[in-house]
Amino acid sequence: MEGRRGLLLCLILAACFYGSTAQKTECAKATVADIVFLVDGSSSIGINNFQEVRRFLRTVVAGLEIGPDKVRVGLAQYSRGTETGKAMEFIRTQYFTEEAGSRADRRVPQIAVVITDGESTDDVVKPAKDLRSQGVIVFGVGVGQINLNQLESIANRPPNSFMFTIDNFQALQRLTDGLLKTVCSSVENQRQALSERFADIFFLVDSGVTTAEFQQIRTVLSRLVNQLNIGAAAYRLGLAQYGQDVKVEFLLNAHQTKEETQNAVKRFRQRRLQPGENRNLSIALQYASAQFFTREAGSRADKGYRQYLVVLSGKDSNDSVARDSRLIKSLGVTVIGMSVGASLRFMHLIATPPYIYQSISNAVPTLKAIFETEQEVTTLTNDCKAASVADVVFIIDESGSIGPENFHLVRIFLHSIVSGFTVSPTRVRVGIVMYNDRPTAQVFLNTFNDKSELLNFIKILPYRGGGTNTGAALNFTHQQVFVKQKGSRKDLGVQQVAVVITDGKSQDIVGTAAANLRRAGVIVYAVGVKDGDEVQLKEMASHPPDKHTFIVDEFSKLKSLEQTLQKVMCQNIIRQAFSVATRRTGLKEGCSQTDEADIYFLIDHSGSIQPSDFHDMKKFIIEFLHTFRIGPNHVRMGVAKYADSPELEFDLTEYSDAKSLEKAVNAIEQKGGGTETGKALDFMKPQFDRAQGTRGHKVREYLVVITDGKSSDEVKTPAEKLSVQGVTIFAIGVKAADVDELQEISGDPKRTFFVNNFDALGPIKDNIITDICTQDACRDIPSDLLFLIDSSGSINPTDYQKMKDFMKSVITKSVIGQGDVHVGVTQFSTVQRLQFPLNKYYSKEEMSKAIDDMQQIGGGTHTGEAITDASQYFDSSKGGRPGLRQRLVVITDGEAQDEVKQPAATLRSKGVVIYAIGVVDANSTQLQEISGSPDKVYSERDFDALKDLESQLALELCDPERGTCKKTEKADIIFLVDGSTSITKEKFRSMQKFMATIVNQTTVGKNLTRFGVILYSTNPKSSFTLNQYNSKREVLQAISVLEPPYGDTYTGRALAYSLEFFNEEYGGRAALQVPQLLMVITDGDATDRHELVGPSLALRDNNISVFGIGVEGANKTQLEIMAAGDKNRVFYVDNFDALETLYKDITLVLCNSTKPVCKKQQADLVFLLDQSGSISSDDYKTMKNFTTAVINSFKVSKEFVRVGLAQFSDTFQHEFYLNQFYGEQVIAKHVSDMQQLGGGTKIGLALESIRDYFEASRGSRRSQKISQNLVLITDGESEDNVEEAAIHLRALGVEVFAIGVGNIHHLELLQITGTPERLFTVQNFGSLENIQQKVVDKICKSEFVEEQTSCSIDIAMGFDISQRTGYPVDTLVSGHTKLQLYLPEIAHYISSLKGLCCVSVAPIKTNIAFRMVRQDGSTMYDFNFEEYNEDVVRKVMTTSLSAPTYFNSALLKSFGEKFAKSRAGVKVLVIFSDGLDEDVMRLEQQSELLRQSGVSALLTVALEGARDPAQLQMVEFGRGFGYKLPLSIGMPSVGSNILKQIDTVSERECCNVMCKCSGHEGVRGSRGSTGSKVTATHSPANFKHDHNG
C-alpha cells in the first residue's frame, strides 16, 4: 500500500476552502460520518486520468462538512497489479479502527468509496463482505472497462443505489453531484439506523409477594435504574403494583432524570393485601392497556420507542388473564413475565415469547440485555419455518404525508417482518418497491443473496416524499418485478406474495392494477395506516379481503401488526401451496359422486363489464364444469347471458362432454347494455321446465347468477318463483352489485357471495361447488363426529356464540340419524365438560337446542388433557361406534398450556381422524401435532372466518380419507338373484331395494359401470344384460319391475348359466380389463349344493369376482365356496329388513374390488431411500418392508415394470439399476439385505445422482416413451438445495413422488415433486402401511410425461387477407405476390435458432403451425405444430379459401386456444395482415389477454397495400429493442428481421437475457436469375444472414 501526500494535502485544503459552503449542498444533514476513499493508483490510470481523480475527490470532499466532530475523511491508494481485495482488507484493519480515528463505537456512520478502473487480480468477494459485515457502507465507482461482476461484489446491494459506472475519467466530474447526494443520503439514513434505540419500561408488581420478595424486587429496580441510561430523552420508567385493583406509583413522564427515578424507587412501599383479597392481574392488564402506554402518560410509541411491560407475579391470578394479555400485546407492548412464585404455565399465558422467566435471581442482567438490545429478537416462528419458499415483494408508500419520523417506523416494521422469514436465494426471496408519484424498485427478488445485508439495507431505506400513485406501483410490480428476469420463480410453482403498505388514498385507480396483479397469481395483502382508505385497501387485497386487509390508526401501532401479519402470510403460503391444492383434489373426488344435476349459469354481460372481467367469468364457468362428471345422464350445464334482455347461449342438452362445453364457453361474446336481472330470472323459469322434460325426470337444479351492478328491475318475485319450482339459486355480486338485492335473488345469505373484482370468482368457486356436492358425497356414510371446543376465558361471548353457530351449521349440512351420522359435543378450558355424547340425540333440532344451551366455562387452555378425555366418547361403552368412521373436530383460540402431541397421536392410533381449527392466537405447530397432517389444519385470523369453513368442513367430514375408494366408477356387475318359492313378494321387494342401493353407490354409464340381472329358481333367466341400459335411471326402473319366477334353488345351475353373460356379445368388457363382478343374493340352501364348486371355479378362472350375499336360511359355507374362499366377499344378514341397509357394509369392499387395473402396465420405477442417522434401525426396517410391498403391487419383469433403487444420506449410495433385476423375489432379497450407513440428509445431491438411473444404459426406456417414475422417502429437511436438481429430473420426463415422514419440510418436498398431488406425508414410519395403496394408485393413475427440451419454441402463423384488389377469392396467396414469394423462405429461415443463450452449438429446432380463421373465429384450416416441412408450407399457400380472413378479436382468441395446448417454453404468433379490421382498443385488450395466457410475443407483418401499417404495431407485444421497426413483407431481409425478433424473445424467455446485439445486416445478395413463367422461383441470395453479429 502507498499513499500520496500531495493528493491528501489537496483534499485538506479543499475541505478548508469549501467547508463554509457545505451546508448549501444535499449534505446539510449529513454532518457526522467517517468516510474512507480507496483509490486505484495503478499505472494503468495514467497521469492525466489521475489528475481527474484528484479533481473529483476535491469536489466531493468540498461538499462535506469536515471537522474532528463532523465528517472525518481517510484516503488510501493501492496498485501492485490492482489487488482491490487486499486493499479493502487494508482499510478495514487499518482505517476503520478506533486507533485510526473511526467512531463506529459512537454510532457514527462508516462509509467506504472504492474507485477503480480495472479488474482486480485477487478475490474481492470475501474482503468486501467482511468490510460490510463490520457495518461499513461500501460504494463502488468503476471507470472504463471495469469488471461489473467484481464491482457488484464490492459495493453494497442493491447495485443501483451503491454502484456507479462511467466510460472514462473525464466523466468523473459529472458523477460528483449524484455520488454526493447518494452518499449523504446514506449517511443520514445510517445515522438514524445507528442512533441509540431507547425504550419505555413499565413495571407491574404483585402486591401479594412476601416482604422478603418485595425487598428483592425493589433491589432489582434500584440496580437496573443505576445501570440504565435513564432520562427524559433516554430510557423512561413507570411503576405500579396490583392486588384486587391497581396502585400507580409513577408514570413514564413523572421523572426526568436518573436521580429522580432512583429516589422514587427508594420511596416504593408495598401495599399489603387484605386477608382473602384477590390478585386480579386481568384488571391490572386492562388498566395498563388504557393508562400506562399513552402519550399523556409519557409513552413515546409514536416516535418508535419500544414499549415494555414487566410483570412480576407471586401467584397465579384469581381472574382469567388470557384475553387482557392478548389485548395489551395487540397494542405493540412486549410483556416480560418474571415469576416470584407464579406457575410457569401462568407466566406463558401473560408473557410475550421468549420473555418468560422462572425467577428474578438473575433479573438485572437479563432485563438490561433485553432493553439494550438494539434490534428486538425476531424469533422464526414455526409457521414461517415451514413457509420457507416464497417470493415476497413489499410495495411501500413513501409519499410526503408520511414524514421522516413515521417512515422510520415503517423501516422498523419492514425489518421485523423480513427478519421472520428464511431469506436466501433458494428459500424466501424478498423484493421492495417504493412509490410516490412514481414507483422505483429498490430491491428485486434476485438482488440480495444474504439476509443480513438485506436487513441492513432496510435500515437505511431511502425516503423521498411526493404523491401517492398506488395503482402505478401495482402495475410496475406486476410488469417489472414479478418477472423471471428479476428473480420471480412463479414458473417453478413458488408462491408470489405482495404486501402494500400505504397511509392514504391513492391519487390514481387501484382496482384494475390490483386485479391484474392478482390474475398473475400474486396473493396481495393491503396494510393501511392512519388515513389509509379502507375501500381501496379491500379493492387491492386478495379474496376474502377481511383476511388480507390490515388497518391501524397510527404508525406506532404497526408493531402490533408484526406477528399477526407474519403469521397470516406464512400460514397462507403453506395453505396456498399445499392445502388448497390437496383440498381441491378432494373436492373433485367428492363431486364425482354428484351423479345427476342440472346447472345453469346466468351471467351479466352489460356494458360496465370489462373484457378481462368477462374473461374471468368464463374462466370461472370452465373451472366449475371440470369439477363434475359432465354427460346427458349425469351433470348437465347451460349458459344464459343478459344485459337489457336475456339470451340463451346454449341449453342443457346442447353439449354432452366437458371438452365441447369448454369450447362453447370460450366462444361466448359480450355485447353490452343495461342490467335487467329480474327479466333474466323470469327467462330462466321455462329453461328449467324444459330441463325436466329433456331428462325425463326431476333432478336437483341450480342457477348461478353473476352480476356486477344493481338491477334496474325487480328481482325478488322472479327469484321466488324459481325457488318454488325447486331451483337452488347462488347469487354472486361483483364490484357495484347490491348485497341486499343479491340476497333477494338467492333467498339465503349462505348462498350469497360478494367480491370486489371478477378475479376473485376463482376462490369462491369452491364454496359453491362444495354446497352442491355435499349432499351426494355425504349420503350413506354413517359415522361419529365429536366437537371439542375451547371454552377458556380468552374467548369473548360473541366469539363463543360464533363457535356454537359454526357447529350448528355443520350439523345442518350433515345427514343426521340413528343409522347415519351421530354427533357429540364436549368443551374444555382448565377442565372438561361433556355437553352431550354421540348416542344422545338423533335429530338436528335436538342437537341445535343442546348447543344453544351451552355455557362458557372460562379458565385456561388444557387442550392435551381435553383430547385424552374426549377419547373415551368414541368407545362403544360411551356411545361410540368404533367400526365406523370416527372424527374429532378441535376448535381453539390459543396456545395449549399442556402437551398435545402424545394425546392426539394416541387418539389417532384408535382410528379417529382429527381436524384442528385454530383462530386468533392458536399455535400452528400444535394444530399440526393435533391433526397429524397439514391438510387437516385450518388456521384462521378470527372467529368470523369460521363461517367460511362450514361447507368445506362438512364435505371433508364425509370424506376424511382422500384417495380411498368411494364409489364404483367402472365395472361390469350382474346380480344373480334367488327368486325361489321361499321368497315372498315382500322379501323380494327388499332384494330390489338392496340392488337399487348398490346401483346408487356406483356411477352408471356406457363407459362406466354397467349392470345386468339374472333371476333364478329351478332355472335361470336373464332379465337384462350389461349392454341393455346406459343410465342409472333406466337400470333402477328395470330393477323395480322385476318379478320372482318361484321354484327351487338351483344356485349351481345359475352360476354356470351366468358365465356367458360376461362375454362381449352381452356387453362384457373383460378385453378392456374392466373388473367383472357377480353378486349372488340367496336366502336358502342350494338344491344342487354339490354342483357349486365347478361353476364357482370357472367364474374365478375368468377373473370374475363373486360376492355371496345370504339372508335368513342361506348357508354360509356355500356362500364362501361361491366367493372362492374370500371371506371379505361374503355377507350375511338374518332378515330381509337388514338386507336393505347391508349396502353400507358392502360399498367399500365393492369399490376396492372394482378398482381399475393400473394404467402403467409398463413403467420404470426407481426408489430413493433416506438412510440418514436420524432414522432408527427399526424405522429403517419398516421403510424397507414398505418399499418391498409397493414393488410387489406391480408386475415386475423386463417387459413390464422395471425397478431400480438407491440410498442416500450426505452421500449417494448405488444399490441396483433398472436393468439389474427383473423378479420380485430377487429385488425383495436385495432390499432386505441392505444396510443403513447413517449420516446427514443431502436430498439435492441424491436427486442429481439418481438422474443416471434414467439413462438407456441403466435400463431406462425413456426413449420408448415408457413412464419414468421416482419414489423418494425421507424423514427430514435437506442440508442442500433441492430445487435445481428436481427441475433437471422432471425435465427428463420423470414423475417424482415424495413420501415425507415425521417433521418434514412440506414446501421443500413440493419443490421436488412439482405438484402436491404426488406428495404424501405420514407422522411416523409405522403409518407408511396406511398409505401404501394410495401411493400405488397415484403412481398407476399418473400419465406419461414428455421429456422437456432445454427450451422449445412454437411459432404459429396467421393470415388476415380481407382485401384482394382485382383478384377473386382463390388460394391464400392469390393477389399477394410478395407473400407468395417470401413465405417459404420466411418459414425456412425461422425454422431454427443458432447460439441460443450463447452456449448452444446445435441449432434449436422450432415447431411451426399455420391456422386460417373465419371472421367469427371458427377455424377454416389448421396445421399442427411441427418441424419445418416444405410440403406443409406449399399446402398452406395453395389452400383454397371460401371467404376472406380478418384481423379481429376472434382471430386472436382462436390462436389463444391453439397455444393453450402448447407445452413450449417460447410461444410466438406471427400475423401477416393487410390492416386491422376492428377497433384498435378492443384488439389491444384481446392482445393483452393473449399475453397473459402465456404467449411470449405477437409480431405483425404488413402485406402489400396494408391500410395504416403503423396501427399494426399497436397490438404487438414481446418484441426486442427493434420494436420501433415495422415489419413488412417487402422490406429487405424480412426473414432475417423476423428471426431477430424471435431470437430476442427466445433469449429473454430461455436465458434471462433482456437484449441481444445481432449486428448489422449483411450485404444484400445479387439479384437471382429470372424464374420460368410456369413456376415462380427466387434466389436465396435475397436473404442474408447477419455476418457482423
Side-chain angles (χ1 to χ4, degrees), residues 896-959:
Q897 294 164 254
D898 58 354
E899 199 259 338
V900 298
K901 189 173 184 179
Q902 193 53 52
T906 303
L907 182 57
R908 291 198 307 273
S909 69
K910 287 175 64 171
V912 178
V913 176
I914 309 178
Y915 291 85
I917 301 174
V919 288
V920 193
D921 285 339
N923 182 305
S924 299
T925 303
Q926 287 184 342
L927 293 175
Q928 191 161 321
E929 287 175 347
I930 291 169
S931 72
S933 174
D935 64 327
K936 292 183 179 65
V937 171
Y938 298 85
S939 193
E940 301 296 344
R941 186 171 155 188
D942 54 35
F943 284 89
D944 288 327
L946 286 176
K947 63 179 179 292
D948 297 328
L949 286 182
E950 293 166 359
S951 295
Q952 187 177 336
L953 186 68
L955 181 61
E956 292 247 349
L957 292 172
C958 297
D959 180 27

Side-chain angles (χ1 to χ4, degrees), residues 100 145 167 247 265 296 298 350 402 439-440 547 553 561 909 1007 1210 1214 1221 1347 1359 1391 1403 1456 1492 1559:
Q145 298 298 312
D167 294 335
K247 184 187 179 210
V265 170
E296 294 74 23
I350 60 173
I402 294 175
T440 305
K547 291 184 183 179
D553 55 12
L561 278 187
S909 69
N1007 298 315
D1210 47 14
H1214 164 69
F1221 302 128
E1347 182 178 346
F1359 303 90
S1391 62
Q1492 289 178 13

Side-chain angles (χ1 to χ4, degrees), residues 657-729:
D657 62 90
K659 191 175 180 181
S660 59
L661 253 179
E662 180 178 348
K663 190 174 180 182
V665 171
N666 274 321
I668 298 172
E669 290 188 354
Q670 179 187 6
K671 293 181 181 174
T675 308
E676 295 198 27
T677 314
K679 187 192 292 185
L681 290 167
D682 269 329
F683 174 77
M684 294 311 299
K685 189 177 186 307
Q687 312 307 324
F688 282 106
D689 289 336
R690 276 194 292 277
Q692 185 172 345
T694 55
R695 196 185 273 271
H697 57 278
K698 182 85 169 173
V699 297
R700 284 185 289 123
E701 295 173 329
Y702 299 95
L703 176 63
V704 181
V705 181
I706 309 175
T707 180
D708 84 325
K710 187 172 174 64
S711 179
S712 57
D713 61 354
E714 194 258 342
V715 300
K716 190 174 182 181
T717 303
E720 286 174 347
K721 285 179 183 175
L722 281 168
S723 184
V724 168
Q725 192 174 330
V727 178
T728 301
I729 307 176

Side-chain angles (χ1 to χ4, degrees), residues 1469-1544:
L1469 173 58
V1470 182
I1471 294 181
F1472 296 88
S1473 173
D1474 60 12
L1476 303 183
D1477 298 303
E1478 190 174 284
D1479 176 62
V1480 71
M1481 289 185 68
R1482 288 198 67 178
L1483 280 168
E1484 282 178 324
Q1485 288 170 344
Q1486 194 62 44
S1487 170
E1488 172 60 15
L1489 292 175
L1490 194 65
R1491 187 188 68 77
Q1492 289 178 13
S1493 73
V1495 175
S1496 313
L1498 166 58
L1499 311 179
T1500 61
V1501 181
L1503 296 173
E1504 300 166 83
R1507 304 181 309 277
D1508 198 355
Q1511 260 203 333
L1512 291 173
Q1513 286 184 275
M1514 295 175 73
V1515 299
E1516 289 186 323
F1517 61 82
R1519 286 182 63 174
F1521 279 97
Y1523 68 93
K1524 288 185 178 178
L1525 175 70
L1527 299 172
S1528 65
I1529 196 70
M1531 69 190 302
S1533 304
V1534 60
S1536 170
N1537 278 295
I1538 295 173
L1539 179 64
K1540 270 187 189 177
Q1541 295 298 324
I1542 294 171
D1543 189 22
T1544 301

Side-chain angles (χ1 to χ4, degrees), residues 158-176:
N160 60 327
S161 295
F162 298 98
M163 193 175 93
F164 300 85
T165 56
I166 50 177
D167 294 335
N168 52 59
F169 284 94
Q170 285 67 38
L172 273 172
Q173 297 307 311
R174 296 199 304 273
L175 187 63
T176 307

